[in-house]
Amino acid sequence: MASNNTTPRKNIVILGASYAGISTAHYLLRHVVPKLPNPDQYCVVLVSVSSQVVCRPACPRAMISETAFDQKKLFVDVKECFVAYPAGQWRFVLGRVKDVDLERRMINVMGDDEQDHLAFHALVIATGASTPSPLLGLNGSSEELRSAWHEVRVALPAAKNIVVAGGGPAGVETAAELAEHLNQTGSKTTQITLITSANQILPNLRSSIANQAQKHLTHLGVRVLTDTKVTATSPIDAGTSSALTATTTVHLSNDQTLPADIYIPATGTRPNTAFLPPALLSSDGRVLTDAHLRAPLAGERIYALGDASTFARPAIHNIFSAIPILCYNIHNDLLGVEGEDKVFKEDTRETQMVLLGRKRAVGAAMGWWLPGWVVRMIKRDYWLWTTPKLWSGEQWTRGLRLRAGK
Ligand SMILES: Cc1cc2nc3c(=O)[nH]c(=O)nc-3n(C[C@H](O)[C@H](O)[C@H](O)COP(=O)(O)OP(=O)(O)OC[C@H]3O[C@@H](n4cnc5c(N)ncnc54)[C@H](O)[C@@H]3O)c2cc1C
């Protein structure tokens, strides 16, 4: 990619094309690159293992039926998101990042059958995090996600026991959606069990709200086991891509076992950072990130955002609050301006909205309890209604005022 016949463009490379990566790319292309002294010298390069982006919060409902959502809205081509920008200003590279050479400032990307070596001037790490279950996000390509959903849909009608491990929002919403679906289809004999090692489900919400959610689950027919840990499964890889719908025995910390025709491990997430040196990572595998959203141990002009980063707790609203600050600081770094950084501070007030099927919901926002009907109204279709503006970049029409470049 060249701005003229001799000068190669400086790549601002973004690893991962989802909530953090796509938003950063739009913000840079709309507000940062045009304000640099020589905008034609730069190219924003997005790298992702998936050619499509998915509305991830919708997974608990989307996995059950293809008709639950408009598939064209649920999955959107990453390249389509950027067609409004002139060619040469941006580029999409499809492939898995294998390693990053921080000294030579090169990235090694493995495509379908060839490797790409990308030089970077600035780098944003936004590769997110994977769930043990392949049903809950883009652990690989969108085709792989769709094929995992298909496998579960085929297994669902004959399932007598379904076990969901993990009492966070992903596990709770998945158990509720499955229960509602099976109630609707008349499969009331299917036992759904939700297991959490904590003493309540939804540990990020106050206990009165969590208890309400548990009542809703019970009403839907879900059995909830708190203070119970899954110690092992047989087969060992139950619920992962290699044994997604295998008949499973779930071993519990209370020495009991549960049979499962479908086992869904919705426990925790694993940051997608294996391509980075361990010295850059926290003990839970996220990129150590400072309040300016830089990864200071990685080197100059290297940043991290989203679930792959320690910047905040994993949530989309935290990413949205951080994007303008990240891009403001990138702009300063590209200009070589020091001492004028903006600082990101997470809003740690109780904020979480959880749908329990189509008729029930619980939640809180900025420390305030929200009635269920308000959560249903706001979160509606698992936020799918918000994605057209997000993926097209319209969400970032307005930007922070930046320092003028000379
Ligand atoms: C089931 C579920 C429901 C959720 N519901 C909500 C909700 O209602 N509200 C909310 O605020 N948050 C919710 N979350 C959390 C939210 O989805 C995440 O915070 C958000 O997706 C993080 O975005 P991200 O861009 O950091 O990473 P991700 O969305 O994880 O995307 C990372 C991208 O990087 C790509 N990638 C990964 N590794 C590589 C590699 N080595 N090379 C190239 N590309 C790679 C992936 O393919 C993916 O496209 C939910 C999460 C789950 C699992």
Side-chain angles (χ1 to χ4, degrees):
M1 195 67 59
S3 55
N4 57 41
N5 287 339
T6 50
T7 323
R9 288 196 185 230
K10 291 176 176 171
N11 289 333
I12 305 172
V13 176
I14 302 171
L15 307 181
S18 180
Y19 290 87
I22 289 183
S23 294
T24 304
H26 276 303
Y27 202 103
L28 291 173
L29 285 162
R30 277 173 182 258
H31 303 296
V32 174
V33 174
K35 298 203 180 90
L36 292 169
N38 295 300
D40 290 347
Q41 278 185 358
Y42 294 90
C43 181
V44 173
V45 185
L46 261 172
V47 183
S48 183
V49 75
S50 168
S51 63
Q52 294 192 307
V53 63
V54 70
C55 174
R56 193 171 189 184
C59 289
R61 184 174 294 166
M63 73 170 80
I64 293 170
S65 161
E66 195 166 340
T67 58
F69 298 108
D70 176 351
Q71 298 296 301
K72 288 206 177 86
K73 244 175 138 184
L74 187 64
F75 290 97
V76 171
D77 282 343
V78 176
K79 279 189 186 171
E80 288 295 313
C81 304
F82 294 94
V83 285
Y85 305 102
Q89 283 190 2
W90 65 279
R91 199 178 140 203
F92 177 65
V93 176
L94 179 62
R96 187 175 289 279
V97 179
K98 284 292 178 195
D99 55 75
V100 176
D101 184 335
L102 296 169
E103 258 173 47
R104 291 173 54 227
R105 294 177 81 82
M106 296 288 289
I107 292 157
N108 180 7
V109 182
M110 194 66 211
D112 268 351
D113 40 31
E114 60 179 43
Q115 289 200 32
D116 204 344
H117 296 278
L118 273 171
F120 66 87
H121 182 67
L123 177 68
V124 181
I125 301 158
T127 40
S130 301
T131 47
S133 167
L135 302 168
L136 297 170
L138 288 167
N139 291 359
S141 67
S142 54
E143 291 77 19
E144 285 169 78
L145 178 59
R146 275 191 280 253
S147 128
W149 287 350
H150 178 73
E151 193 178 332
V152 162
R153 286 171 196 158
V154 170
L156 215 43
K160 291 280 164 259
N161 291 288
I162 301 176
V163 176
V164 180
V172 168
E173 290 183 332
T174 301
E177 290 294 339
L178 285 166
E180 191 174 80
H181 172 77
L182 292 170
N183 287 339
Q184 275 165 5
T185 51
S187 309
K188 289 195 171 155
T189 50
T190 309
Q191 175 65 64
I192 301 174
T193 308
L194 177 71
I195 302 172
T196 176
S197 58
N199 60 7
Q200 66 168 57
I201 57 169
L202 304 175
N204 289 339
L205 289 171
R206 71 191 84 163
S207 56
S208 57
I209 300 179
N211 291 341
Q212 187 61 44
Q214 187 163 336
K215 270 192 205 146
H216 289 324
L217 284 175
T218 309
H219 186 82
L220 284 165
V222 177
R223 173 172 57 159
V224 178
L225 302 181
T226 54
D227 293 306
T228 310
K229 208 173 161 58
V230 173
T231 51
T233 59
S234 171
I236 196 167
D237 54 349
T240 67
S241 313
S242 48
L244 187 57
T245 51
T247 304
T248 299
T249 304
V250 182
H251 298 264
L252 304 178
S253 51
N254 58 13
D255 291 334
Q256 293 183 348
T257 58
L258 288 176
D261 303 299
I262 300 177
Y263 173 66
I264 302 180
T267 43
T269 52
R270 188 175 32 80
N272 300 316
T273 54
F275 54 86
L276 289 168
L280 304 188
L281 308 178
S282 62
S283 55
D284 64 0
R286 293 181 293 161
V287 181
L288 289 163
T289 311
D290 67 16
H292 306 120
L293 304 164
R294 297 192 183 93
L297 301 177
E300 273 192 337
R301 296 184 300 279
I302 302 183
Y303 316 82
L305 187 67
D307 289 10
S309 152
T310 57
F311 88 113
R313 287 172 299 173
I316 294 163
H317 56 267
N318 283 334
I319 295 174
F320 291 166
S321 314
I323 293 280
I325 292 164
L326 166 71
C327 294
Y328 183 95
N329 292 340
I330 292 177
H331 181 255
N332 277 351
D333 291 349
L334 293 174
L335 288 178
V337 172
E338 284 181 22
E340 293 184 15
D341 293 341
K342 286 208 182 287
V343 169
F344 172 75
K345 194 165 183 312
E346 181 185 358
D347 182 344
T348 53
R349 288 173 293 177
E350 181 191 36
T351 298
Q352 196 162 68
M353 297 192 212
V354 182
L355 295 178
L356 295 129
R358 287 168 202 262
K359 299 194 189 101
R360 298 170 184 83
V362 297
M366 291 180 280
W368 296 90
W369 167 77
L370 295 175
W373 66 269
V374 173
V375 176
R376 282 206 319 276
M377 194 180 68
I378 300 173
K379 188 158 171 176
R380 274 183 243 171
D381 52 1
Y382 284 94
W383 305 117
L384 188 60
W385 66 276
T386 64
T387 55
K389 274 188 165 185
L390 182 61
W391 304 144
S392 69
E394 223 187 299
Q395 168 136 349
W396 305 107
T397 308
R398 292 175 55 184
L400 282 177
R401 183 196 283 269
L402 300 177
R403 184 184 218 284
K406 296 205 178 82

